[in-house]
Amino acid sequence: AGGIALHWDGLVWTSEATGIGTALNGVWGADSSDVWAVGAGGVIRRWDGSTWAGATSPTTADLNAISGMRNGKAIATGAALITYNGTNWTAITPSIGQVAHAVAGTLADNFWIPTVQGEVFNVTITGTIYSSGRWDHFAWGDGTRYNLKYVIRTLREGWAS
């Protein structure tokens, strides 16, 4: 719903107004006092444990997903690719050039971003896009396109669907 975030406190879900009417598409949190949400028009909101506040976005493109690390760094994607260095959000150019609906990472600065065009990009928190390809269930690179919207990453494996 436009501008609404749902919060689970361990017992019940509650609806929290974020102070905007814009649709929020993705949420990620390092802990209960450091939660980020991204959405339509490049909107970025941050929960500090008691209130939602806006953050300066380097894009007006829709953002669909966000992920990060406990060291204060984060990455968000959608129709743009942006990273957070602990202080500021920065647009990565050139971007991946495709719409993405998910991002996941587990290593110090390593994230996977699957796109609706079927590619999976490997991106560092500094914005370096150092690997991409298409997965055909056995190997990368047969040219098959998949409409990928979800990704998970463990220390040794990754899944996208």
Side-chain angles (χ1 to χ4, degrees):
I4 299 297
L6 297 177
H7 176 246
W8 174 256
D9 67 4
L11 298 174
V12 296
W13 286 99
T14 55
S15 177
E16 300 277 345
T18 63
I20 58 166
T22 304
L24 297 172
N25 302 325
V27 64
W28 172 83
D31 58 46
S32 62
S33 63
D34 187 18
V35 178
W36 293 88
V38 296
V43 164
I44 304 170
R45 304 296 284 174
R46 188 175 195 178
W47 174 258
D48 65 6
S50 60
T51 59
W52 285 97
T56 302
S57 178
T59 186
T60 57
D62 291 348
L63 297 172
N64 299 323
I66 184 169
S67 185
M69 299 166 289
R70 290 192 179 271
N71 66 4
K73 296 179 181 177
I75 190 168
T77 191
L81 177 63
I82 63 174
T83 61
Y84 184 70
N85 64 10
T87 305
N88 299 305
W89 285 95
T90 304
I92 302 305
T93 55
S95 187
I96 57 178
Q98 299 180 29
V99 175
H101 289 281
V103 58
T106 60
L107 301 176
D109 72 345
N110 191 16
F111 294 86
W112 284 12
I113 301 172
T115 69
V116 296
Q117 289 86 351
E119 293 190 59
V120 178
F121 290 87
N122 196 302
V123 180
T124 67
I125 198 69
T126 58
T128 302
I129 302 169
Y130 61 86
S131 146
S132 68
R134 292 182 192 91
W135 179 249
D136 70 358
H137 302 285
F138 300 102
W140 288 102
D142 75 339
T144 302
R145 296 281 184 170
Y146 301 94
N147 184 1
L148 301 173
K149 293 185 179 177
Y150 306 99
V151 65
I152 61 167
R153 174 81 194 264
T154 66
L155 287 176
R156 297 187 183 164
E157 295 181 357
W159 294 86
S161 67

